[in-house]
């Protein structure tokens, strides 16, 4: 009778031992990863001092410029093809009309906004 009890308990012991060993492997891996991270941080250069930090120019902060842009015309009216060296780097140019376009009163203002749209 006692041998049946030992056999019944044995699988639980091995499962507990396996779970303990798995947890031990995970703990060892985490300790190794933290040690490796500390070593990497020690090899990194020092952080810059206050004197090495960037400062504003003497003229002050750089201000943002907002302007209306329009696309470069890829098919000119004279029928000649534009060559790549004739295009601007951005593909746009400053528009002659610098007035900002506004939404029309009563329009929804966005797709799916729920308004009646332009009427």
């Amino acid at each position: 009778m006692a041998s049946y009890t030992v056999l019944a308990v044995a699988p639980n012991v091995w499962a507990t031992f396996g779970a303990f060993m798995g947890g031990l492997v995970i703990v060892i891996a985490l300790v190794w990863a933290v040690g490796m991270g500390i070593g990497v941080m020690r090899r990194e250069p020092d952080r810059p001092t206050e004197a090495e930090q960037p400062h504003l120019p003497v003229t002050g902060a750089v201000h943002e410029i907002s302007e209306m842009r329009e696309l470069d015309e890829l098919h000119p009216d004279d029928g000649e093809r534009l060559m790549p060296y004739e295009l601007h780097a951005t593909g746009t140019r400053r528009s002659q009309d610098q007035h900002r376009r506004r939404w029309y009163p009563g329009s929804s203002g966005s797709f799916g906004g729920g308004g009646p749209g332009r009427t």
Side-chain angles (χ1 to χ4, degrees):
M1 189 77 143
S3 63
Y4 291 125
T5 306
V6 171
L7 288 176
V9 172
N12 292 337
V13 170
W14 284 111
T16 304
F17 180 72
F20 176 76
M21 292 306 291
L24 190 62
V25 167
I26 291 173
V27 167
I28 290 171
L30 288 173
V31 168
W32 175 79
V34 168
M36 187 175 172
I38 290 171
V40 167
M41 285 179 60
R42 286 185 180 157
R43 288 191 300 268
E44 288 179 351
D46 292 335
R47 292 189 174 99
T49 63
E50 184 68 31
E52 295 171 338
Q53 294 291 331
H55 297 286
L56 282 175
V58 178
T59 57
V62 179
H63 296 284
E64 179 179 313
I65 297 174
S66 179
E67 64 182 6
M68 299 301 295
R69 307 283 295 174
E70 61 184 24
L71 293 174
D72 279 336
E73 187 66 38
L74 294 180
H75 303 287
D77 295 331
D78 61 3
E80 289 292 321
R81 184 176 84 139
L82 288 178
M83 302 307 284
Y85 56 84
E86 296 175 317
L87 296 175
H88 295 99
T90 61
T92 61
R93 63 178 180 268
R94 188 173 194 273
S95 176
Q96 295 295 329
D97 180 20
Q98 287 297 309
H99 291 90
R100 209 169 127 200
R101 293 188 186 100
R102 301 287 182 178
W103 288 316
Y104 292 106
S107 70
S108 66
S110 66
F111 178 75
R118 187 184 292 179
T119 54

